Amino acid sequence: MTDGVDRARDLLARARRVVVLTGAGVSAESGVPTFRGSQGLWRSHRPEDLATPEAFARDPLLVWEWYAWRRSFIARCEPNPAHTALARYLADHPTATLVTQNVDGLHQRAARAVRGADTGDADRVLEVHGAIHRDRCSSCGLRAVGAEAIDTSTPQTLPRCASCGGALRPDVVWFGEALDEAVIGAAFRAAREAEVCLVVGTSGVVYPAASVPEITRASGGSVVEVNPEETPLTRYAAVSLRGPAGSLVPHLLHG
Ligand code: BV8
Ligand code: ZN
């Protein structure tokens, strides 16, 4: 493992620009269930079945129940050493960009903790799938911090937009929905310009986010992966470090 870490450190040290892509695995040690891991199910529902506009149209009470449960669960989770190490790396490397598929907000919380109130680094955290603690109006698009307690007793008690009265939804990107052009565009630009893409805790199956490491490779860069398991991205990796992010990422970046 040490020669893999040494090679990965050497690649990172020589890179002028680094892009990081994280997935649910970086939050696993904070207690947030991953999507495709064993505890990814909720009341026997698969995320792919609930995180869709069709599910929300068909059963908004059930979908809101799932998000309200996740929102309150995540509110009690803390950033783990991987989030903190990545936040410190961002603070020390102004040309680095962190692209996250996660909607749990733990990268931003770690960035604020590392840099105090200054959320400057938070805008170098690109949340390509949105943020679970924010609501968005289905009609006028107004965004606002979401309530933790959602009254899911009847359709009439579901949250409504303060501005137009439209139905509020969690401000996340569902399967089959387009990502925010500006956000995914910035992620792809960072991937193109990076000499190294550090991929942490993703199964690499959800597109277009999973293209980020492929874009770095296609423009001549290298991929370094941190994951306890092999993934479809492993074959693109110059180095693939087998192990949990919570210990490997701090060791890799600040060991
Ligand atoms: C789009 C927000 C087009 C919601 C998420 C058929 C029909 C429709 C679409 C498609 C289709 N086929 C393909 C698609 C495209 C689809 C897709 O890629 N599907 C996959 C499943 C095949 N993509 C989309 O639909 C995207 N939109 O394509 O739009 C379009 C264009 C124009 C106009 C209209 C439409 C939208 C995708 C976004 C979906 N939203 N999240 C919510 O959170 O509720 S995705 C969801 O999956 C999460 O964001 C999650 O982050 C993401 C990816 O999963 P991972 O993060 O990788 O998590 P996973 O559990 O899979 O893996 C965890 C990994 O961690 C594992 O490898 C594990 O080994 C590792 N690990 C575990 N412990 C640790 C660890 N690693 C390190 N340390 C540890 N301790
Ligand atoms: Zn509205």
Side-chain angles (χ1 to χ4, degrees):
M1 174 65 81
T2 42
D3 62 332
V5 170
D6 290 344
R7 270 188 301 131
R9 279 185 184 145
D10 182 46
L11 285 168
L12 286 165
R14 283 190 281 128
R16 277 176 304 107
R17 289 176 181 278
V18 169
V19 65
V20 185
L21 173 70
T22 64
V26 80
S27 297
E29 288 152 276
S30 296
V32 182
T34 61
F35 273 74
R36 287 159 198 87
S38 54
Q39 75 290 56
L41 296 179
W42 175 75
R43 289 196 208 155
S44 77
H45 294 286
R46 292 183 332 129
E48 279 85 348
D49 301 335
L50 290 178
T52 70
E54 294 77 16
F56 189 66
R58 189 177 54 248
D59 193 343
L61 292 174
L62 177 72
V63 172
W64 258 119
E65 242 187 292
W66 181 47
Y67 279 95
W69 175 80
R70 284 175 68 197
R71 215 176 242 181
S72 59
F73 188 95
I74 287 167
R76 272 171 268 302
C77 296
E78 291 298 324
N80 68 58
H83 295 108
T84 305
L86 287 166
R88 281 184 48 207
Y89 183 83
L90 271 188
D92 299 342
H93 298 80
T95 59
T97 302
L98 193 151
V99 179
T100 188
Q101 301 170 88
N102 300 341
V103 297
D104 57 30
L106 291 179
H107 284 302
Q108 284 78 345
R109 281 173 52 189
R112 278 193 289 276
V114 162
R115 289 290 294 263
D118 163 23
T119 53
D121 295 332
D123 58 26
R124 281 188 290 127
V125 175
L126 300 174
E127 295 177 308
V128 295
H129 292 159
I132 196 166
H133 49 275
R134 265 200 319 265
D135 289 343
R136 174 157 49 90
C137 174
S138 309
S139 311
C140 74
L142 184 78
R143 285 183 163 89
V145 176
E148 210 178 289
I150 306 283
D151 182 349
T152 56
S153 34
T154 73
Q156 287 64 41
T157 59
L158 288 179
R160 311 291 297 183
C161 175
S163 160
C164 77
L168 289 182
R169 54 168 283 177
D171 188 19
V172 297
V173 180
W174 281 328
F175 287 101
E177 291 189 319
L179 279 63
D180 180 306
E181 288 275 314
V183 180
I184 193 65
F188 285 171
R189 202 167 33 258
R192 260 194 312 279
E193 293 168 357
E195 282 86 25
V196 172
C197 177
L198 172 61
V199 185
V200 183
T202 183
S203 57
V205 297
V206 174
Y207 282 84
S211 323
V212 165
E214 295 162 11
I215 291 169
T216 298
R217 277 263 303 155
S219 49
S222 308
V223 173
V224 172
E225 180 182 40
V226 174
N227 197 312
E229 295 166 13
E230 248 191 55
T231 72
L233 298 173
T234 304
R235 66 174 182 281
Y236 297 109
V239 183
S240 190
L241 302 173
R242 279 293 154 275
S247 42
L248 260 182
V249 171
H251 178 57
L252 173 64
L253 298 181
H254 310 293

